[in-house]
Amino acid sequence: MSTAGRAVTGVYPEALRERVDAYLAELRFPSVAPETAGLEEAMRYSLLAGGKRIRPVLALATQQAIGGDPETVLPLAAAIELIHTYSLIHDDLPAMDDDDLRRGRPTCHVKFGEDVAILAGDALYAEALRLLLTAQAGPPAGILAAARELTAATGVDGMVGGQYLDVAGVAPDDAGGLRTVHALKTGRLIGASIACVLLLDGMTGPSITAFRSFADELGILFQIVDDILDVTSTADAMGKPQGSDERQGKRTYVSEYGLEGAQRLAAECHGRAHAALAATGPERAAHLAELEQITDFIFTRTS
């Protein structure tokens, strides 16, 4: 496949994913009350369910792109994945998407009950912030800036706000309204995976603007492809029920633009994401391989 004259391979930086998985596997959430062991079990059940770890891998790849050691931002990357996992647990609940499978196995509420699943999600969010504020090295101003970005990206002006627009059906009934829903619901956390690293580093100026433009396009690209896969993939490939958006009557890029229209929009987003990466500056060209690989992988993914 190619877009805008460049080859697209869909290769993924597995070495970075393996670093993330190893770090997450070592995380524990102990309590002074041993009776909460069941809560930690539910948290780790969802956290260690696998997947490509796109958000934390993006954080590591961004650190690499600005000339840093990916290992140094593992606590931040892990905090982002804890928050993403919390969002998946809550998305799957009967009051939300009502899904019984996630990554090929029972969802948290099916395995442990709705009450424990809600608490596991709540605890993962809190532990994410604790991890960022206690384990991430860096200047205090940079850590606080990253924390502000991450909490904003997951609150009313981010992921949760986007979820509200989606479930309440109150977004404007036009292309801009659809983009707003997904820019908040999906795009903001993906964007934070990049922006938090830059803020931790203290980056300012044109480079951070270009990286933020890249992050915006990548978040929308992810959602468009997700909508496409919801109608073209299978439950076995996705590891979760296929066609759930259509069953719930949700607005998606496929329902609004048709399958071919959504595929065209994905290709346009993919091209703009690469253009934004190129605009980060020639001095970074030699360090962008992993970010380019993630962008191509998102565009070509099949599950």
Side-chain angles (χ1 to χ4, degrees):
M1 184 184 295
S2 67
T3 181
R6 67 181 299 281
V8 180
T9 64
V11 174
Y12 194 74
E14 290 292 342
L16 296 183
R17 182 192 60 78
E18 290 170 2
R19 293 188 192 186
V20 170
D21 276 340
Y23 188 87
L24 292 174
E26 294 176 357
L27 285 181
R28 294 294 186 275
F29 311 104
S31 166
V32 294
E35 294 81 6
T36 61
L39 176 61
E40 182 179 13
E41 180 187 1
M43 295 163 68
R44 286 173 53 79
Y45 173 84
S46 293
L47 181 64
L48 303 181
K52 285 295 184 180
R53 310 294 190 188
I54 286 174
R55 292 153 190 83
V57 168
L58 269 173
L60 268 59
T62 301
Q63 178 72 349
Q64 198 157 284
I66 62 175
D69 179 359
E71 294 282 341
T72 62
V73 294
L74 273 169
L76 167 62
I80 293 167
E81 186 66 4
L82 263 62
I83 290 176
H84 176 56
T85 302
Y86 126 73
S87 75
L88 297 182
I89 292 173
H90 283 194
D91 281 354
D92 290 335
L93 290 168
M96 298 291 283
D97 291 346
D98 194 16
D99 283 332
D100 292 339
L101 288 176
R102 170 70 65 179
R103 292 171 178 156
R105 62 180 189 169
T107 49
C108 191
H109 71 272
V110 171
K111 177 79 172 177
F112 298 96
E114 288 182 49
D115 48 0
V116 174
I118 292 169
L119 294 173
D122 294 344
L124 282 165
Y125 191 94
E127 292 296 334
L129 294 179
R130 180 164 72 166
L131 182 64
L132 172 59
L133 294 172
T134 61
Q136 179 59 57
I143 293 172
L144 288 176
R148 283 194 300 270
E149 179 77 16
L150 188 54
T151 52
T154 54
V156 176
D157 192 36
M159 181 178 67
V160 174
Q163 284 282 27
Y164 173 78
L165 294 179
D166 194 23
V167 301
V170 294
D173 191 20
D174 57 19
L178 182 63
R179 185 179 175 98
T180 296
V181 169
H182 295 304
L184 294 174
K185 176 182 173 183
T186 303
R188 284 283 269 138
L189 188 57
I190 288 176
S193 303
I194 297 166
C196 285
V197 175
L198 307 179
L199 292 167
L200 186 65
D201 185 67
M203 182 182 291
T204 59
S207 287
I208 195 170
T209 300
F211 272 116
R212 282 188 179 276
S213 295
F214 165 67
D216 290 344
E217 293 298 335
L218 198 66
I220 296 299
L221 174 63
F222 185 94
Q223 186 61 54
I224 295 172
V225 173
D226 209 50
D227 289 351
I228 291 170
L229 292 177
D230 194 59
V231 298
T232 62
S233 190
T234 65
D236 286 343
M238 296 287 284
K240 62 181 181 179
Q242 184 262 352
S244 60
D245 290 337
E246 182 179 3
R247 287 192 299 273
Q248 295 176 33
K250 288 189 175 183
R251 292 178 64 200
T252 69
Y253 281 93
V254 175
S255 70
E256 295 289 311
Y257 298 98
L259 182 57
E260 290 186 3
Q263 290 169 334
R264 183 185 68 254
L265 289 173
E268 292 171 357
C269 243
H270 177 259
R272 288 194 296 269
H274 275 288
L277 267 184
T280 59
E283 72 278 10
R284 305 200 189 282
H287 305 288
L288 297 176
E290 285 75 14
L291 288 178
E292 291 173 340
Q293 289 170 4
I294 296 167
T295 304
D296 289 348
F297 172 79
I298 290 174
F299 180 52
T300 60
R301 69 191 179 99
T302 58
S303 62

